[in-house]
Amino acid sequence: MSYSSVLTAGGTRDHLFASDPPRIDGDVLTWSDQRLACSMTLRRRSPRFERKLVDGVSWRCEMPAADAELHIEGKKVRGRGYAELLELTIAPWDLPIDELRWGRFCGDRLSLVWIDWRGSHPLTLVLLDGAAVDGSVSDRTIIAGDATLSIGDGAVIRSAAIGDSIPFLEPFLPKRMTAATEHKWCSRSTVSRGGQNVDRGWAVHEIVRFA
């Protein structure tokens, strides 16, 4: 089954038609979808990072930070971008997670990416400029080595049950998947070191709670 979507502050547009996947040529990623009236080009700013998170789940942070240009519905947007690839050979509802915290920050100088699993297989992974560092994750504060990311109040991008996004599949999926709730924000954020602010930018971050 193919599925493509674009999520903006104005809502979600999606379809089930086959679509070409993103293409990577060196440090440049491109993707386009005529049905969604969307195309993008990302140029890498930080090295890729790969990790098997658990048996059956491989994660490649292809671009922890990138220079991005997006064309959507006749408008052009430029800024910082991000790209990742998640490959699963197990069903998503079998993931050993009760709560997931995920996010990424891209500023002028630094990038941070974090994954925090809570449940039967706890896992915390924090990347600073594409490299794994010791760290911790909470709702509004990310510790990444000697750097601290403080997440401010943000705009809600999405707040709903996952089943609401895929109503055509809801009858065929376990309740643990369809009843899971996703809360996603885009927030102005600041990175500090030694008590001094060293970078500002935007964080896209979310909390998913499984039923």
Side-chain angles (χ1 to χ4, degrees):
M1 177 178 291
S2 298
Y3 176 73
S4 300
S5 70
V6 171
L7 172 64
T8 67
T12 302
R13 293 182 293 112
D14 54 16
H15 66 71
L16 291 170
F17 297 97
S19 179
D20 291 335
R23 296 182 178 181
I24 298 177
D25 183 6
D27 289 335
V28 178
L29 180 151
T30 56
W31 180 74
S32 64
D33 190 310
Q34 291 185 349
R35 290 183 177 89
L36 297 175
C38 180
S39 66
M40 63 183 67
T41 301
L42 280 72
R43 291 177 172 81
R44 190 191 319 274
R45 291 171 58 95
S46 297
R48 69 169 57 90
F49 180 90
E50 297 184 55
R51 174 73 61 87
K52 184 174 81 170
L53 302 182
V54 67
D55 287 342
V57 182
S58 297
W59 177 64
R60 186 168 80 226
C61 192
E62 186 65 48
M63 295 187 178
D67 292 319
E69 181 173 297
L70 173 69
H71 296 260
I72 181 167
E73 297 182 320
K75 299 178 181 178
K76 181 167 69 174
V77 181
R78 291 178 176 172
R80 296 288 182 253
Y82 171 89
E84 66 175 5
L85 173 66
L86 187 66
E87 294 183 312
L88 284 78
T89 57
I90 61 174
W93 48 87
D94 288 334
L95 289 170
I97 309 173
D98 294 331
E99 286 189 358
L100 163 68
R101 284 165 175 78
W102 168 92
R104 57 90 168 169
F105 163 87
C106 293
D108 290 331
R109 300 178 180 178
L110 303 173
S111 72
L112 277 82
V113 182
W114 60 94
I115 296 174
D116 187 61
W117 290 4
R118 302 182 185 184
S120 60
H121 187 90
L123 168 72
T124 299
L125 179 60
V126 180
L127 306 184
L128 176 61
D129 290 335
V133 296
D134 292 335
S136 62
V137 175
S138 64
D139 290 354
R140 292 296 187 94
T141 304
I142 312 299
I143 305 298
D146 64 346
T148 299
L149 175 69
S150 299
I151 301 173
D153 293 332
V156 175
I157 301 175
R158 174 175 164 78
S159 182
I162 290 178
D164 294 344
S165 299
I166 47 174
F168 47 88
L169 291 178
E170 191 167 5
F172 308 102
L173 299 177
K175 183 178 179 180
R176 184 174 189 269
M177 185 71 182
T178 59
T181 56
E182 179 188 26
H183 305 280
K184 188 190 296 284
W185 302 268
C186 180
S187 305
R188 193 70 169 165
S189 304
T190 303
V191 178
S192 60
R193 276 179 166 145
Q196 300 293 320
N197 292 341
V198 295
D199 203 0
R200 284 176 58 82
W202 293 95
V204 175
H205 54 110
E206 69 178 3
I207 300 175
V208 180
R209 294 185 173 93
F210 290 85

